[in-house]
Amino acid sequence: MRILWLLVYVGALAAYIVVVGLPKQSWVAVIWLWLLTVAWDLRKPFREHLAFLRDWSLPVALLLVYLYSRGISDDLGFASVHVTEPIDADRWLFGGVLPTEWLQAHLCGAPCVRASSPAWYDVLLTTVYYSHFFVALSIAALLWMRDRPEWIRYMRRYLSLTFLALVIYIVYPMAPPWMASRDGYLTGDIARITGRGWWEFGRGGGGSAHQSFSAVGNQVAAMPSLHAGIAILVAAWAISRLRGPWRWLIALYPVAMSFMLVYYAEHYVVDIIAGGLCVAIVLVGWTLWERHGGREDRDQRDDRDQRVVGAPGTETS
């Protein structure tokens, strides 16, 4: 029965992707993850399946706040859009060469056009790009099914990273490479080629789908790179909890994501670095807080155990 319902789920998801497109918005992705948990164990009472929606209601609400706050943050007027600083920083880091410009010249061609025939690595890198919308939340759904306290710790970090990035977007709006090129700050040969690898898939994930989704967001929410930050967070979380030497291969995920973001003119290298620093702040901050809270919990348990042992009528062996 599990195999049957999983096949039904896969068929329904495939039909949705063909008709509507990839479920890239967080609340839609969470609904599909919930349906996956239902298909995985349909024999559970329905009230237990509703527990997923109850537990996820606050994270989904916060992610919706982030999505639409991000979309208006560049219109709040707190700061002007920064354009030249990241260009100068990347050229300083790489000896006068701008990585995005170099990568597109060597990997995309001249002129670099999104709709041109993609190479094999474009297909791979575009797949990595779109994994951003599913990987982190899929891990969260798995944790919710297997270990709810671990799910809570994971979601603390995931949501904190998201809102830390939002605050920076508000106080430091910054134009990405493709926008700097469009506005004449860089050579016109630089193009936004995100979705290039899936161009022939049309609505399922090609350039038109990417453009439709980007319209909801903030075009100058580039510093830090949340795509890179979440990939780093996922890799750090998995490597710290898995065992065996193979776990270190997970580090290739944020490396591929970062490479793609720079190559596709979505971010500068300094945006990637900033994303990693934000992850470090979130991980260290929550780890210190939980260790302090953990000591308090242990002290309370020890006090409770001592009261039980010392109570009249109790026996120990």
Side-chain angles (χ1 to χ4, degrees), residues 244-267:
W246 290 102
R247 74 184 191 276
W248 294 104
L249 291 176
I250 301 173
L252 295 175
Y253 178 57
V255 171
M257 181 71 75
S258 301
F259 180 88
M260 177 277 306
L261 293 169
V262 176
Y263 167 41
Y264 283 173
E266 292 285 353
H267 287 282

Side-chain angles (χ1 to χ4, degrees), residues 181-203:
S181 174
R182 183 198 66 187
D183 295 341
Y185 291 92
L186 292 172
T187 173
D189 293 335
I190 292 178
R192 189 183 196 183
I193 56 175
T194 312
R196 168 183 168 91
W198 286 14
W199 185 262
E200 296 178 357
F201 288 98
R203 296 187 66 183

Side-chain angles (χ1 to χ4, degrees), residues 122-191:
D122 289 310
V123 177
L124 176 62
L125 292 175
T126 300
T127 303
V128 171
Y129 173 82
Y130 285 120
S131 72
H132 163 81
F133 302 103
F134 314 106
V135 169
L137 291 176
S138 296
I139 292 174
L142 179 62
L143 289 173
W144 182 87
M145 294 175 64
R146 296 173 60 91
D147 189 342
R148 191 174 181 277
E150 191 75 356
W151 171 76
I152 293 174
R153 288 188 286 270
Y154 177 85
M155 292 303 291
R156 284 172 178 168
R157 290 156 175 79
Y158 177 78
L159 293 172
S160 297
L161 175 63
T162 299
F163 279 87
L164 175 59
L166 175 61
V167 172
I168 299 174
Y169 296 154
I170 293 173
V171 300
Y172 192 84
M174 194 194 81
W178 65 266
M179 183 179 290
S181 174
R182 183 198 66 187
D183 295 341
Y185 291 92
L186 292 172
T187 173
D189 293 335
I190 292 178

